Amino acid sequence: MRPARALIDLSALRHNYHLARERHGGRALAVVKANAYGHGALRCARALHDEADGFAVAFLGEALELRAGGIDAPILLLEGVFDVAELAEAARHRLWMVVHHEEQLRMLERTPLAGPVDVWLKVNSGMNRAGFVGDAVGPAWQRLQASGKVGRIVLMTHFARADEPERETTLEQLQRFEAATAGLPGERSVANSAAILGWPQARRAWARPGILLYGADPMPAEGNGLRAVMTLESAVMAVREIAPGESLGYGGRFVAERTTRVGLVAMGYADGYPRTVPDGTPVAVEGRASRIIGRVSMDMLTIDLTELPDAGLGSRVELWGDQVPVNRIAQAAGTIAYELLCNVKRVGVEYVRR
């Protein structure tokens, strides 16, 4: 059997959730959209079910998968609903929904519902992607109340640059949010993962931890005590030596400066490991540091075993996890951990509780 696999540590997931809720205070929706960032939404939700205050997903289909799997906790639709049929379905399944633009508000006003729904009214405080702006927030809140179809209204916003602690943008967004919602009753939710860890000024009734749940620290200076949930690993499937001056792999990018012992690993970009990483990108072989050499191929990649004479056929290779933070691989690839985790596929998945 091909040895490429992703190990999902559910105890680390629970640890990270508790850390988020403790750091922020109040309550926290565990964000499990995009299949829990590639970790398996239903398995992760079940692991947190007795502890999380609720969950957040992107759209209705993701929520219905959780409901069908026995998750009866509150679930928030971060994108809201897209049409009248979805609105009725969301109400039937007791889902909370974000309302972030005029058509969603009109849809709710004119659609008969079996019972009231809880709404999270989104404020555009400066990200300029979704939400009501400034003076439009109060009237939107009043219309929701007047519709007679809404139970609780939570006021929310989303930060554009909370992962940049040196910038004032987050505080500016907070000020705009407070101005737009001044005098309106109800709970607030503003803190995403980066704000939970780096902006105590953003603590309100509800937090929305996402990427931090999975152990990828969104802040530039890590050390917040997060634990990696996914370990992407494989094994050495062949070993060869190349002489000084010989090249390796597609394009001959790596050229040996000395006799180099090369390990061929069953993992490639079709599995979700990024093709764009340069030579020198770290891996761990049986717990010891090594590096990528040569371009990543579709199904295979090559690593340097020259300094690891005991490593060979069958040696375990960690691509990211406890020893090789996924953020380091993302940085080497010129992307973010979110993308890497969500793109893992074609590998075996094993859930563990360490």
Side-chain angles (χ1 to χ4, degrees):
M1 181 179 294
R2 189 168 184 256
R5 62 178 183 167
L7 302 179
I8 309 299
D9 184 348
L10 297 176
S11 65
L13 177 73
R14 286 191 292 271
H15 165 85
N16 295 337
Y17 176 80
H18 288 298
L19 184 149
R21 191 164 60 180
E22 184 177 307
R23 182 75 63 91
H24 178 271
R27 286 164 288 175
L29 292 181
V31 181
V32 293
K33 64 180 180 176
N35 198 30
Y37 296 53
H39 293 70
L42 185 55
R43 290 296 297 267
C44 289
R46 285 174 173 168
L48 292 172
H49 188 265
D50 294 336
E51 304 169 51
D53 299 305
F55 299 94
V57 298
F59 53 88
L60 179 66
E62 292 183 330
L64 294 183
E65 289 180 8
L66 297 184
R67 285 284 189 255
I71 304 301
D72 58 3
I75 303 174
L76 174 67
L77 305 178
L78 291 168
E79 294 180 356
V81 295
F82 290 87
D83 55 38
V84 170
E86 285 203 348
L87 176 57
E89 192 78 348
R92 188 166 74 87
H93 287 278
R94 299 170 289 104
L95 302 175
W96 300 352
M97 65 190 74
V98 170
V99 170
H100 61 80
H101 65 87
E102 175 65 23
E103 183 52 36
Q104 287 178 330
L105 181 51
R106 289 177 185 167
M107 191 190 311
L108 198 152
E109 288 176 317
R110 65 180 180 237
T111 303
L113 296 176
V117 294
D118 285 356
V119 166
W120 289 44
L121 180 61
K122 190 163 193 175
V123 178
N124 175 13
S125 60
M127 190 167 183
N128 294 324
R129 188 179 66 177
F132 294 87
V133 179
D135 292 343
V137 175
W141 189 95
Q142 294 290 348
R143 288 169 61 186
L144 287 171
Q145 282 289 92
S147 73
K149 300 169 185 177
V150 174
R152 176 175 51 178
I153 302 174
V154 177
L155 295 157
M156 69 178 297
T157 195
H158 194 60
F159 294 128
R161 307 182 79 161
D163 57 346
E164 301 178 48
E166 73 283 358
R167 300 187 66 94
E168 295 295 314
T169 307
T170 299
L171 294 180
E172 292 167 2
Q173 283 196 247
L174 268 176
Q175 291 170 359
R176 294 191 196 104
F177 175 77
E178 294 298 343
T181 60
L184 297 178
E187 297 171 325
R188 268 68 167 161
S189 174
V190 299
N192 58 3
S193 289
I196 290 168
L197 297 174
W199 296 93
Q201 307 94 320
R203 292 169 185 164
R204 299 294 186 274
W206 288 91
R208 306 188 307 274
I211 192 65
L212 78 76
L213 291 178
Y214 308 101
D217 197 321
M219 300 303 283
E222 297 186 357
N224 282 301
L226 302 177
R227 289 170 49 191
V229 176
M230 179 190 291
T231 297
L232 185 66
E233 67 174 31
S234 190
V236 175
M237 56 189 287
V239 179
R240 71 171 61 246
E241 285 190 353
I242 59 174
E246 288 190 314
S247 62
L248 175 66
Y250 285 117
R253 183 182 70 184
F254 176 82
V255 178
E257 297 180 351
R258 60 176 179 170
T259 300
T260 301
R261 191 163 173 262
V262 180
L264 183 64
V265 179
M267 178 69 65
Y269 59 78
D271 304 302
Y273 191 85
R275 178 180 179 273
T276 52
V277 296
D279 293 334
T281 299
V283 299
V285 182
E286 298 291 357
R288 294 171 291 174
S290 185
R291 61 179 183 141
I292 298 281
I293 52 176
R295 284 186 184 166
V296 174
S297 304
M298 181 179 288
D299 312 295
M300 296 175 284
L301 55 81
T302 42
I303 62 175
D304 189 352
L305 297 180
T306 309
E307 301 297 328
L308 302 174
D310 297 332
L313 191 65
S315 291
R316 176 182 177 271
V317 180
E318 180 181 301
L319 287 310
W320 66 64
D322 290 328
Q323 296 174 291
V324 183
V326 66
N327 280 348
R328 291 185 63 186
I329 309 306
Q331 184 178 23
T335 184
I336 54 177
Y338 301 72
E339 183 177 17
L340 298 190
L341 295 171
C342 288
N343 281 344
V344 172
K345 53 190 178 296
R346 283 201 339 168
V347 303
V349 178
E350 180 179 338
Y351 290 88
V352 297
R353 289 174 169 85
R354 296 176 181 169

